[in-house]
C-alpha cells in the first residue's frame, strides 16, 4: 500500500524489516527492488534482482524489471559492430556496414549516439543517428530516433521514428509507433508490437505496415529469447516475412514498384564476460522475391561488442 501511494521511504522500511525475518522472501525482495527502482537506486535494485534470480532463475517479474533498468545500472557504454550482407543475385556486390556507438544512461532514460559506415553498391557512405528512451512513468516509456546522411543511395538522407511503450500487467508489454525514411521520396511505416515475459523466455510479435498508392505492404516478425543468466545473456530465434527498417536494408524500400515477398529466419546469441563485456552474434537468412517470380537467397551476419563502465 505504501509503495502504490508513493510513500517509498516507509515502504522500504517495512520491506527491510520483513527481510530481517525472512531474507529469502521473494515477495519482499521483488517489492524491495521496485522501491529501489522508483528511488533511482538502480545498482541496489539490480543487486536485489540478481538475488531473486539466484533463488528462482525463472522468476518472470524479476527478469522483466532487470531488463528495464539495465541501461541505468552502468551510466556509460561504448560499442562496435559489423554487418556483412551477402546477395546471391539481386546485387553484384555484397554490403559491409560497421558502426560505433556511445550510450549514456541518465535518471530520465538512456541516450545513444551512433555513427555507421557502409560500403554498398561498391560505394562508401556515412550515417549519424541519435536515439533516446525517456521514461514517462512506471507504466510508459518512449523511443525517439533521428538520423542523417549525405551519402545518396547508401543511407536514407533522413530517418526518424517514435514509439510509445507500455508495461502492462501479467508481464506483458505493448508498443505503437512510426518510422520514416527519406530517399528521393518519404517512406512512412507504422509499427505495433506485443511482448510477454514468461520465466526465462521473452516472446514478441511485431508488424510494420507501409501504405502505398494502391495497397499496404506488410511485415511480420516473431521473436523468442531464452535468457540463460542476466539481462544480456540469451539465445534468440526469429521468424518472419517482409522487410523492417531496423535491418540495415533500408535501400530495399527505395524505388520498388513490385512489393517484395520476403521470408526470413535467424538465430541470435548474446553473452557477457564479467557482466560489463557484452558480445553478440546474429545470423539471418532471407529468401527475397525482388522481381516477379525471381527469388534471391541472402545472408546477414552481424557481430558486436559493447563495454559498460
Amino acid at each position: 500500500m505504501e509503495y502504490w501511494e508513493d510513500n517509498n521511504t516507509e515502504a522500504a522500511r517495512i520491506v527491510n524489516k520483513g527481510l530481517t525475518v525472512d531474507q529469502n522472501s521473494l515477495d519482499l525482495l521483488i517489492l524491495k527492488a521496485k522501491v529501489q527502482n522508483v528511488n533511482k537506486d538502480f545498482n541496489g535494485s539490480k543487486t536485489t534482482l540478481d538475488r531473486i534470480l539466484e533463488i528462482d532463475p525463472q522468476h518472470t517479474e524479476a527478469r522483466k524489471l532487470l531488463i528495464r533498468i539495465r541501461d541505468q545500472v552502468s551510466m556509460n557504454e561504448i560499442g562496435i559492430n559489423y554487418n556483412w550482407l551477402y546477395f546471391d543475385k539481386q546485387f553484384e556486390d555484397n554490403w559491409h556496414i560497421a558502426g560505433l556507438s556511445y550510450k549514456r544512461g541518465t535518471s530520465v532514460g538512456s541516450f545513444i549516439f551512433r555513427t555507421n559506415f557502409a560500403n554498398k553498391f561498391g560505394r562508401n557512405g556515412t550515417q549519424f543517428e541519435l536515439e533516446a528512451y525517456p521514461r514517462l512513468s512506471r507504466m510508459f516509456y518512449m523511443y525517439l530516433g533521428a538520423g542523417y546522411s549525405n551519402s545518396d543511395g547508401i543511407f536514407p538522407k533522413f530517418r526518424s521514428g517514435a514509439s510509445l511503450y507500455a508495461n502492462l500487467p501479467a508481464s506483458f508489454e505493448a508498443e505503437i509507433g512510426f518510422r520514416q525514411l527519406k530517399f528521393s521520396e518519404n517512406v512512412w511505416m507504422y509499427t505495433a508490437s506485443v511482448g510477454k515475459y514468461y520465466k526465462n523466455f521473452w516472446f514478441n510479435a511485431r508488424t510494420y505496415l507501409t501504405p502505398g498508392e494502391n495497397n499496404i505492404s506488410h511485415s511480420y516478425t516473431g521473436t523468442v529469447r531464452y535468457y540463460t543468466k542476466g539481462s544480456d545473456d540469451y539465445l534468440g530465434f526469429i521468424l518472419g516475412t517482409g522487410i523492417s527498417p531496423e535491418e540495415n536494408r533500408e535501400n530495399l524500400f527505395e524505388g520498388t514498384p513490385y512489393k517484395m515477398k520476403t521470408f526470413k529466419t535467424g538465430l541470435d546469441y548474446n553473452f557477457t564476460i564479467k557482466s560489463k563485456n557484452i558480445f553478440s552474434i546474429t545470423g539471418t537468412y532471407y529468401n527475397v522475391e525482388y522481381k516477379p517470380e525471381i527469388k534471391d537467397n541472402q545472408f546477414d551476419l552481424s557481430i558486436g561488442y559493447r563495454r559498460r563502465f
Side-chain angles (χ1 to χ4, degrees):
M1 291 291 294
E2 300 291 352
Y3 168 70
W4 285 111
E5 292 294 331
D6 292 324
N7 299 322
N8 296 307
T9 300
E10 181 63 12
R13 187 192 68 80
I14 296 171
V15 168
N16 288 329
K17 183 177 180 181
L19 286 170
T20 61
V21 178
D22 183 0
Q23 63 180 355
N24 294 326
S25 168
L26 294 179
D27 290 335
L28 291 176
L29 286 170
I30 191 64
L31 184 54
K32 179 178 180 178
K34 290 178 179 179
V35 172
Q36 290 171 317
N37 177 44
V38 171
N39 288 333
K40 299 181 180 180
D41 179 12
F42 302 115
N43 286 291
S45 183
K46 179 182 183 303
T47 300
T48 304
L49 293 168
D50 287 338
R51 173 60 179 157
I52 294 172
L53 292 176
E54 286 180 6
I55 301 171
D56 180 8
Q58 296 185 339
H59 196 287
T60 300
E61 196 171 8
R63 188 168 301 282
K64 178 183 177 182
L65 183 55
L66 184 61
I67 292 170
R68 283 176 53 195
I69 70 169
R70 61 184 172 186
D71 292 334
Q72 279 68 51
V73 173
S74 296
M75 301 301 291
N76 299 282
E77 179 184 288
I78 57 173
I80 183 171
N81 67 279
Y82 168 74
N83 274 76
W84 174 72
L85 293 89
Y86 166 82
F87 301 91
D88 187 20
K89 301 175 184 177
Q90 188 175 4
F91 300 114
E92 182 177 350
D93 298 312
N94 299 325
W95 293 358
H96 305 270
I97 305 169
L100 298 173
S101 65
Y102 170 71
K103 178 188 286 186
R104 173 69 177 177
T106 73
S107 59
V108 298
S110 59
F111 298 83
I112 306 168
F113 176 74
R114 185 180 295 109
T115 303
N116 299 311
F117 309 92
N119 181 277
K120 300 178 181 179
F121 315 110
R123 297 186 291 119
N124 297 321
T126 305
Q127 180 190 51
F128 303 98
E129 294 182 290
L130 180 63
E131 296 179 341
Y133 293 85
R135 289 194 307 277
L136 306 180
S137 67
R138 291 180 185 175
M139 177 174 290
F140 296 105
Y141 70 98
M142 291 193 69
Y143 158 79
L144 301 171
Y148 169 77
S149 175
N150 61 1
S151 306
D152 291 339
I154 307 300
F155 292 103
K157 187 172 182 63
F158 297 103
R159 68 176 298 163
S160 64
S163 285
L164 178 65
Y165 290 86
N167 295 299
L168 303 176
S171 298
F172 278 95
E173 60 181 12
E175 172 205 0
I176 186 167
F178 77 90
R179 306 290 185 270
Q180 171 263 338
L181 304 175
K182 170 66 174 178
F183 295 99
S184 55
E185 297 180 355
N186 279 309
V187 178
W188 291 89
M189 291 150 285
Y190 301 92
T191 186
S193 71
V194 60
K196 165 70 175 177
Y197 291 89
Y198 177 72
K199 296 183 178 180
N200 292 60
F201 289 93
W202 177 67
F203 303 92
N204 183 267
R206 174 182 293 277
T207 183
Y208 284 98
L209 305 176
T210 308
E213 292 183 1
N214 300 315
N215 56 20
I216 298 177
S217 295
H218 302 260
S219 171
Y220 302 98
T221 302
T223 303
V224 178
R225 287 179 182 174
Y226 177 80
Y227 287 90
T228 56
K229 292 192 296 182
S231 59
D232 293 295
D233 298 85
Y234 60 81
L235 294 168
F237 173 72
I238 63 171
L239 184 69
T241 63
I243 299 171
S244 76
E246 275 84 15
E247 295 175 345
N248 287 317
R249 299 158 63 86
E250 306 103 325
N251 304 77
L252 303 183
F253 285 100
E254 184 180 21
T256 308
Y258 181 78
K259 301 302 181 182
M260 294 180 295
K261 299 176 182 177
T262 300
F263 167 81
K264 59 185 176 183
T265 184
L267 295 173
D268 187 14
Y269 178 45
N270 268 42
F271 65 95
T272 59
I273 296 178
K274 295 184 178 180
S275 75
K276 295 186 180 297
N277 299 285
I278 306 129
F279 298 85
S280 63
I281 180 169
T282 303
T284 308
Y285 163 75
Y286 298 86
N287 184 265
V288 178
E289 187 179 13
Y290 65 98
K291 291 182 180 180
E293 306 302 325
I294 300 179
K295 296 183 178 181
D296 188 22
N297 295 310
Q298 303 173 4
F299 297 91
D300 183 346
L301 177 64
S302 174
I303 56 174
Y305 167 73
R306 292 176 289 149
R307 169 71 181 182
R308 288 180 178 153
F309 58 98

